[in-house]
Each structure stands twice: as C-alpha cells, then as structure tokens.
Amino acid sequence: TVATELAPVLGLTHLSTGALIRKEIAAGTEFGKQVKDLIEKGQLAPDHLVMQILVAALKAPENRQGVILDGFPRTLAQAQMLDALLASWGLGLNKAVWLELSEADLIERLSLRRTCSNQACGRSYHLRFEPPRDPAHCDVCNAALYQRKDDAPEAISTRLETYRQESAPLRSYYERTAGD
C-alpha cells in the first residue's frame, strides 16, 4: 500500500516482485510452474529465479526513470545480487525502507485480504480496512474475489517463519551498508 501510493508522488514505477511472480504463475510460464507450489505454501521462490524476472522487469522502458521495489529483496543473497546488478549498470540503491508491524497485525492484514480474480484488474481489498461494497465481488469489474492461497492461516505461519529466518537479517545488512 505504501509503495503504491508513494511511487507516483516520486515519479517512480511501483515494481512488486510478488505481483510479477503471481503474473507468471497465472500465465502458466515455466517460471510460474517452478514456483507455484512454493508460493502457495508461503515459501520463497529461489533467489536466482526471482532475480531473473526482476532483471527483465527493470529493463522495461517504463522503469527507466527508477522504481520502488516492493517485496524485494527478501533474502541476504537477493540483496547482494541486487547490489551487484545495479553496480554492473553503474547504479546503486538510493534508499531502503523498513516497515515493521506486529505479527498480530500482519496476520490480520494477510488473512483478511481479498483479490479480484480478473487478472486484468487484480484489485486488492481488505475486509476490515478497505472492504468492497459486495464482499464477493470486485467494485471495479464485478469479478469474483478470492483469498490467495498464501494468505491462508497455514501459509501465513510459514511466511512468518520464513521472514524470521530469511528477511529479518536484511535490516542489519542495510544498516551496515547505509554509509557506502
């Protein structure tokens, strides 16, 4: 939500790796087939595969003025690969923003999220904070709303454990490299 609202204010593109991955899964690409089960269980896609789709997205003409990366990097290896990629292009990361919520808030935000089933629309809702007029249908296109498999309680538990192991160390990494 923050990245979506901030990007146009800064004249940047909002680039969500989660959205890129879900698009690949929906399209049935080879990448999508490789990561579908992992994502639905709340696990992370392999770093090298995520970098592959991220590089392609970063090279797109609409992203030449800069991007806000949303949901990336998620691991220390991804952060290091991103640094190396940007350095090879003569660029660097300008800022890293860490948003922190309690686990209870995260569980509520994820478990009550609903998404439009129309891939062309893809609008997200939150049943408490931003509910649709009709809880079963999208306000924009009237397609059915659904709960993503990675927002189910079992997957959320896995996602939180993965976060503790893989993503939490990124904070100290970016604090150490902030002066570089």
Side-chain angles (χ1 to χ4, degrees), residues 38-159:
L38 293 171
I39 300 302
E40 289 179 350
K41 292 176 187 170
Q43 299 172 351
L44 297 177
D47 295 335
H48 70 282
L49 292 177
V50 176
M51 279 301 295
Q52 189 179 344
I53 63 164
L54 179 64
V55 169
L58 289 172
K59 288 181 176 180
E62 64 270 17
N63 296 326
R64 290 200 178 146
Q65 297 302 313
V67 300
I68 292 180
L69 293 175
D70 180 358
F72 188 90
R74 294 225 174 176
T75 68
L76 184 57
Q78 288 178 0
Q80 292 166 335
M81 286 188 268
L82 177 63
D83 288 345
L85 172 69
L86 293 175
S88 75
W89 290 347
L91 301 170
L93 191 66
N94 290 348
K95 298 275 183 212
V97 178
W98 190 269
L99 301 177
E100 195 165 319
L101 297 168
S102 71
E103 283 196 14
D105 285 340
L106 287 169
I107 291 167
E108 179 182 36
R109 286 184 175 274
L110 295 172
S111 65
L112 295 177
R113 178 169 50 186
R114 298 298 182 268
T115 304
C116 178
S117 59
N118 175 356
Q119 292 295 319
C121 177
R123 172 98 157 67
S124 286
Y125 297 90
H126 190 274
L127 296 180
R128 178 172 171 210
F129 300 121
E130 194 176 348
R133 288 186 297 271
D134 170 358
H137 295 94
C138 177
D139 292 348
V140 176
C141 70
N142 205 38
L145 297 178
Y146 72 101
Q147 182 178 40
R148 292 178 6 200
K149 289 184 181 181
D150 61 331
D151 286 343
E154 318 76 54
I156 292 172
S157 294
T158 301
R159 289 173 75 178

